[in-house]
Every structure is written in structure tokens, then in C-alpha cells.
Amino acid sequence: GAVVSQHPSWVICKSGTSVKIECRSLDFQATTMFWYRQFPKQSLMLMATSNEGSKATYEQGVEKDKFLINHASLTLSTLTVTSAHPEDSSFYICSASIGRVRNEQFFGPGTRLTVL
Amino acid sequence: GNSVTQMEGPVTLSEEAFLTINCTYTATGYPSLFWYVQYPGEGLQLLLKATKADDKGSNKGFEATYRKETTSFHLEKGSVQVSDSAVYFCALGFGNEKLTFGTGTRLTIIP
């Protein structure tokens, strides 16, 4: 149980285009979802926290107009990288939390974005 | 603020060697502590966790004990295998809130 999927697993796009990444909790309802970014050989950097039906909370330094997060349901959150540039190329990972009682996050497999 | 410091890698060991990856933390209060593992090209998988002092988390032969007095959560395994080669992340968290990760330690096991 507690499986989180991401789609697509990898994407290549041209500079200036927008890319949407989906994060789904397949067998549970996620009260909270998190979006992380990971640079090569580095740790995960939290970008934002999203709760279903409310606006995402962005970490300091993350541009909310560039990284649009929508948490439309308890099983789906999306990250849209708008007007992508080569410096946005990275590995994006989402995680989902079941609830306050169970303190655990379940991670998706990640999406590798390459912007040409 | 909260922070996690873990042993810098890379770490290279021979198969069946003993493994220790050090992890210490700084936090206000009493967080839950986690070890996550990331295999090449994949996302993170929870390896083990401990939610209070003196708890021992264990999984797949790996162990870590929550030491409040030394604010540590060192990862150990008695006999590593080639399949254990991965990047290991120590992390802390409170309730349903975000996790704070260490920088990761790349482990390579050679036959």
C-alpha cells in the first residue's frame, strides 16, 4: 500500500514552453503533498507544500509564478513549470502524507525534466 | 532551525563489510527520524524510522537507534551486499510537516 506515482517519468522540452507533472496517491488519500527538487548528486530541496483545496505554501526563494502547484483532490497534485529554461532542468520528486496520525511521507519515483 | 548533518561520501566497501553512516541532527523539540534510500534513477524509499528516543528502526538488515543524548541516528548494517549500493538520506520531521534532509551519502559495494 501507500503507492505514489508520477507522470511523466521523464520529459524533454524546448525553452519557453510549460511542462506539467502529475503526482498521484494510488491507494490512499493524501492530506498533504510535497514537491521537491533534486540537483545531481545533491539532496532534496523542498519547493512547496500543498494541501487539498488550498493554496500551496512555497519555500523561500521558490518562484510561485514559475512553479504552479495545484492540489485539486486528495489523490492528485500537479506541478507546472511555466516558461521553462535550461536552469530548470532537474529531477522533481513529489511525496504524499497520509495524515497527522501517521507521520510518514511516501515518495513518487520522480520526474526528470530536461529543458533544451 | 532544523538541520541534519550526515557523513559525506562517497563510501566504498567490500561485500560483507560492516557499514556505518553517521547522522546527527539539530531540532527544537523531538522530531521523528528517518533513513531513506534512493536507487539510481528512482525516487526515495523509506528504509526505516524511529519516532521517539531510544527507539530502534530496522529493515532489510539495516538498523538505526534514536539517541536523544547525542542527537544522532546512525545507520548500521552488519554485512552489506552489492544490492545495497545506493544513496542514503537521513531526515527529520514533525507530524505531518515537511522533512528536513541531510545531503545524502553515496554507498558503493564492490564484490
Side-chain angles (χ1 to χ4, degrees), chain A:
Chain A
V3 177
V4 176
S5 71
Q6 280 184 242
H7 178 79
S9 56
W10 60 269
V11 56
I12 302 173
C13 69
K14 292 182 179 180
S15 186
T17 60
S18 294
V19 174
K20 179 184 284 188
I21 302 170
E22 291 185 350
C23 176
R24 292 182 185 273
S25 55
L26 297 185
D27 50 2
F28 67 98
Q29 293 186 327
T31 54
T32 305
M33 288 186 170
F34 303 85
W35 285 97
Y36 296 84
R37 183 173 178 178
Q38 186 180 30
F39 293 99
K41 299 185 179 181
Q42 294 188 27
S43 189
L44 281 73
M45 180 191 79
L46 180 67
M47 299 174 66
T49 303
S50 74
N51 294 292
E52 185 263 343
S54 61
K55 290 184 178 180
T57 302
Y58 290 81
E59 295 298 299
Q60 192 173 9
V62 178
E63 299 175 60
K64 61 180 66 176
D65 293 330
K66 180 167 188 59
F67 298 100
L68 301 179
I69 292 173
N70 183 280
H71 195 159
S73 75
L74 285 172
T75 59
L76 173 64
S77 177
T78 60
L79 167 67
T80 301
V81 183
T82 62
S83 187
H85 291 283
E87 57 266 30
D88 299 324
S89 299
S90 190
F91 195 50
Y92 293 88
I93 302 175
C94 73
S95 71
S97 178
I98 286 180
R100 298 187 185 281
V101 175
R102 187 172 178 179
N103 175 21
E104 188 172 336
Q105 291 182 29
F106 300 92
F107 285 79
T111 297
R112 182 161 302 283
L113 170 64
T114 302
V115 184
L116 302 177

Side-chain angles (χ1 to χ4, degrees), chain B residues 22-92:
Chain B
N22 290 337
C23 171
T24 57
Y25 68 90
T26 301
T28 304
Y30 303 103
S32 294
L33 301 175
F34 306 85
W35 276 101
Y36 283 88
V37 58
Q38 184 179 32
Y39 297 101
E42 298 182 14
L44 273 68
Q45 300 175 28
L46 178 65
L47 181 59
L48 52 85
K49 68 175 182 179
T51 58
K52 61 183 188 297
D54 299 327
D55 268 2
K56 177 187 284 188
S58 62
N59 185 27
K60 299 180 181 180
F62 290 89
E63 291 183 342
T65 301
Y66 191 143
R67 301 287 188 198
K68 188 177 70 173
E69 62 275 15
T70 55
T71 62
S72 65
F73 193 55
H74 304 321
L75 182 68
E76 297 182 335
K77 186 174 185 180
S79 177
V80 292
Q81 306 300 314
V82 173
S83 57
D84 295 326
S85 298
V87 181
Y88 292 81
F89 292 93
C90 185
L92 67 83

